Amino acid sequence: MNDERQRLAAPARWSAWGPYLAERAWGTVREDYSATGDAWQHLTHDEARSRAYRWNEDGLAGVCDREQRLCLALSLWNGRDAILKERLFGLAGPEGNHGEDVKEEYHYLDALPSHAWLHMRYRYPHGPFPYEALVRGNAARDRHQPEFELLDTVVFDGGRYFDVDVQWGKADAEDLLCWITVTYRGEEPAELHLLPTAWFRNTWSWTGDTARPSIVREARQAEA
């Protein structure tokens, strides 16, 4: 713990990067551009992947800088889903029989206060993610009944899923390393595509006077 005490002695420096990336920004209703003020119905999960957010972004097992200008996260595809798994799925307020609710299986396993070490595990099924089944299952229940959860579907039956462990570590305050470990569960072959993703939050389309950022790959210098 001595190293962590030293990091915490410079909190502004070590907090420059951390787990500040929302996992489902569409559900926080921070940005309502509807004409009627009905934010829940105006921005759905299905539309979230096509939006450029002004105030915040979202991603799976991600990190970003303190001002959320550069975002780093993981996208997954099992070859069966119609869309990439880029964010946690959940129900909007009017959809859930108990209101807004995430319908996923994931666990935060470890973390340091300085964010020098973070560990999350996400469980991704081999088969198509049951988006529609979760919406219909909860719509069919009233508020006196329990919620219809992901584990209530058949998607994990027979242990057919991947455990995706994402670990972030800092060699220095702004030197981030990421380890992604996939553990295959089940007996039949299944495919999984891993897509580590980096992108900028759109800060330039709203006022017209902000420079558009860019990412370049620097040539590595030959070691002497």
Side-chain angles (χ1 to χ4, degrees):
M1 292 298 295
N2 290 334
D3 290 340
E4 180 65 3
R5 289 194 182 98
Q6 293 178 11
R7 288 189 285 263
L8 293 177
R13 181 168 178 267
W14 282 90
S15 65
W17 287 82
Y20 313 135
L21 190 65
E23 291 161 331
R24 52 195 297 262
W26 67 276
T28 62
V29 198
R30 294 174 180 171
E31 304 186 28
D32 180 13
Y33 306 120
S34 65
T36 61
D38 187 2
W40 285 116
Q41 303 295 340
H42 179 68
L43 178 55
T44 67
H45 175 273
D46 192 49
E47 296 174 334
R49 64 184 184 275
S50 302
R51 295 295 184 101
Y53 299 102
R54 181 173 186 177
W55 303 115
N56 72 307
E57 284 282 346
D58 57 9
L60 188 63
V63 298
C64 64
D65 64 279
R66 191 186 295 111
E67 296 182 348
Q68 202 182 82
R69 296 184 180 275
L70 178 58
C71 306
L72 309 171
L74 177 65
S75 297
L76 304 168
W77 188 52
N78 56 13
R80 307 282 302 279
D81 282 338
I83 62 175
L84 296 178
K85 173 57 69 175
E86 299 176 286
R87 55 183 55 81
L88 296 183
F89 174 70
L91 303 180
E95 292 177 317
N97 62 323
H98 291 167
E100 180 190 3
D101 188 37
V102 176
K103 301 297 181 183
E104 298 271 12
E105 282 293 310
Y106 62 103
H107 304 276
Y108 301 108
L109 301 180
D110 202 0
L112 288 174
S114 67
H115 313 316
W117 182 257
L118 304 166
H119 185 186
M120 174 190 178
R121 176 174 297 161
Y122 177 75
R123 184 155 291 177
Y124 189 42
H126 295 174
F129 193 90
Y131 295 105
E132 292 300 324
L134 289 166
V135 174
R136 292 194 305 269
N138 284 275
R141 301 187 179 190
D142 61 35
R143 63 187 180 89
H144 301 292
Q145 295 175 293
E147 298 167 6
F148 185 74
E149 304 288 4
L150 183 59
L151 292 177
D152 295 323
T153 70
V154 300
V155 71
F156 290 142
D157 286 6
R160 299 180 307 228
Y161 56 84
F162 302 96
D163 276 334
V164 183
D165 285 72
V166 182
Q167 301 171 78
W168 292 94
K170 293 181 181 179
D172 199 358
E174 296 191 359
D175 186 1
L176 276 71
L177 307 174
C178 183
W179 295 265
I180 302 172
T181 305
V182 177
T183 303
Y184 167 82
R185 311 292 186 184
E187 299 180 356
E188 298 181 358
E191 66 177 287
L192 178 64
H193 301 260
L194 299 175
L195 304 167
T197 309
W199 75 99
F200 292 104
R201 179 171 60 87
N202 188 337
T203 58
W204 57 88
S205 293
W206 307 97
T207 61
D209 57 358
T210 302
R212 184 189 295 262
S214 62
I215 298 177
V216 297
R217 181 176 181 177
E218 294 184 355
R220 178 177 296 181
Q221 295 181 352
E223 296 182 1

